[in-house]
Amino acid sequence: MGARDQEQQMTTVSILGGTGGLGKGLGARWAQAGIDVIVGSRSPERAAAAAEDLAGMVGEAAPHVRGAGNLEAAQAGDVTVVSVPFEGLDEALAPLGDALDGRIVVSVVNPLGFDGAGPYSLPVAEGSAAEAVARRLPGARVVAAFHSVSSVELQRLEGPMDDDVPVVGDDEEAVAVAVELAERIEGIRSFPAGPLRLAAPLEDLTAVLISINKRHRSHVGLRFSRLSR
Ligand SMILES: NC(=O)c1ccc[n+]([C@@H]2O[C@H](COP(=O)([O-])OP(=O)(O)OC[C@H]3O[C@@H](n4cnc5c(N)ncnc54)[C@H](OP(=O)(O)O)[C@@H]3O)[C@@H](O)[C@H]2O)c1
C-alpha cells in the first residue's frame, strides 16, 4: 500500500497519555483537521473527562473526539501516539500486549530529567526513548516525531503552528504516514529525517529548547533552513 492510500485510510489517531498537555494539543489540532482522535488514559474515567475538555476546546470538531482506556484506544487507532513520560513507558505499554502488532506507533517521548541547572538528557539503555518503545512493542512499526513541538502552542488553537517536525524511523511507509499526520496541523512542515537510531539526538535537543524557553520566557520551535524537497 502506498503512503497516499494510507493517508486516505488514516481516519483514527489514538493518543496514549492523551490526558497530558502534549496529547491534548495534538488531539485538538488533529480533531480540527477532521481526524478522529481517541484520548487514551490508564483510567477510562480520566480519558472521558479529558475528551470532554478537548471537545470543548475544538467546538465544531467535537464529534471527532472520544476517550478510552489505553488498551481500547490502541486497538481502535489506525495510528497510535505514545505520549507518556519516559518513566511511564513500562506502565503504559506492558498492558497493551500485542494490540499494536503491525500498527504504526509514533513516539513523542523525550527522556529528560530536571535539576537546579535545568533540563538534561537521561541515559537510555536502548539508545533513545523511541528505541525503548520499539523494544517494548516488538511487532509495531515505531517512528519518532514531535519532540520539540510546544504543547502550549499546540493548545493555542487560534493561530497556526510555526514548526518543522523531522520524523525518524526504519519503516518508510510508517514514516510517510507520520509526516502526513504532522502536516495536517496548520503551520507544521514535516519530512523524513533518517532511521530510528537518530531519535536520540532529536529527543536530547529538546533539553536545549526547554533551557532556551526558561531563559527567554518563550516557546521556541525548530526550523531547518534551505531544505529542498
Ligand atoms: N509537553 C510538551 O510540550 C512536549 C513536547 C514534545 C514532547 N513531549 C513528550 O511527550 C510526552 C507527554 O508529554 P506531557 O507533557 O503531555 O506529559 P504528562 O502530562 O506528564 O503525561 C502525559 C500523560 O501520561 C500519563 N502518565 C503519566 N505518568 C505515567 C506513568 N507512570 N505510566 C503511564 N502513564 C503515565 C498520564 O495519563 P493518565 O494518568 O491519564 O494515564 C498523563 O496525563 C512526554 O514523553 C514528553 O517528553 C512533551
Side-chain angles (χ1 to χ4, degrees):
M1 192 189 304
R4 184 55 56 175
D5 299 327
Q6 294 220 4
E7 176 189 329
Q8 298 300 325
Q9 295 187 359
M10 191 172 64
T11 52
T12 302
V13 177
S14 292
I15 308 177
L16 309 182
T19 50
L22 187 71
K24 272 193 187 170
L26 288 173
R29 294 281 180 165
W30 283 326
Q32 276 192 327
I35 294 171
D36 289 337
V37 172
I38 303 177
V39 177
S41 169
R42 290 168 291 178
S43 147
E45 292 74 27
R46 274 202 299 279
E52 204 170 313
D53 278 359
L54 215 155
M57 284 166 67
V58 299
E60 281 180 7
H64 288 291
V65 182
R66 72 178 175 94
N70 279 337
L71 176 58
E72 188 193 333
Q75 288 165 334
D78 299 307
V79 175
T80 296
V81 177
V82 178
S83 184
V84 303
F86 175 66
E87 300 74 19
L89 284 183
D90 281 328
E91 190 179 340
L93 301 183
L96 305 184
D98 57 8
L100 290 169
D101 280 4
R103 309 283 190 102
I104 297 173
V105 170
V106 182
S107 171
V108 302
V109 180
N110 293 313
L112 300 181
F114 296 85
D115 63 16
Y120 62 94
S121 303
L122 296 172
V124 183
E126 292 85 352
S128 64
E131 288 163 293
V133 169
R135 174 78 60 87
R136 285 159 179 76
L137 301 173
R141 305 163 72 187
V142 178
V143 304
F146 300 106
H147 305 96
S148 57
V149 174
S150 158
S151 62
V152 176
E153 293 299 324
L154 282 169
Q155 290 184 58
R156 217 192 295 277
L157 296 178
E158 57 276 10
M161 296 296 288
D162 182 14
D163 293 81
D164 278 351
V165 171
V167 180
V168 293
D170 300 330
D171 178 323
E172 281 187 26
E173 278 193 356
V175 168
V177 169
V179 164
E180 163 62 22
L181 200 49
E183 293 208 329
R184 293 288 293 270
I185 298 175
E186 194 185 354
I188 285 184
R189 177 180 67 165
S190 185
F191 40 85
L196 199 67
R197 69 183 185 188
L198 293 182
L202 290 177
E203 295 169 0
D204 292 344
L205 185 57
T206 306
V208 183
L209 269 60
I210 294 171
S211 179
I212 293 169
N213 289 340
K214 282 185 183 296
R215 282 163 190 265
H216 300 279
R217 297 178 189 277
S218 53
H219 300 119
V220 297
L222 279 186
R223 280 295 193 194
F224 292 80
S225 63
R226 291 180 288 282
L227 175 70
S228 56
R229 54 172 192 154

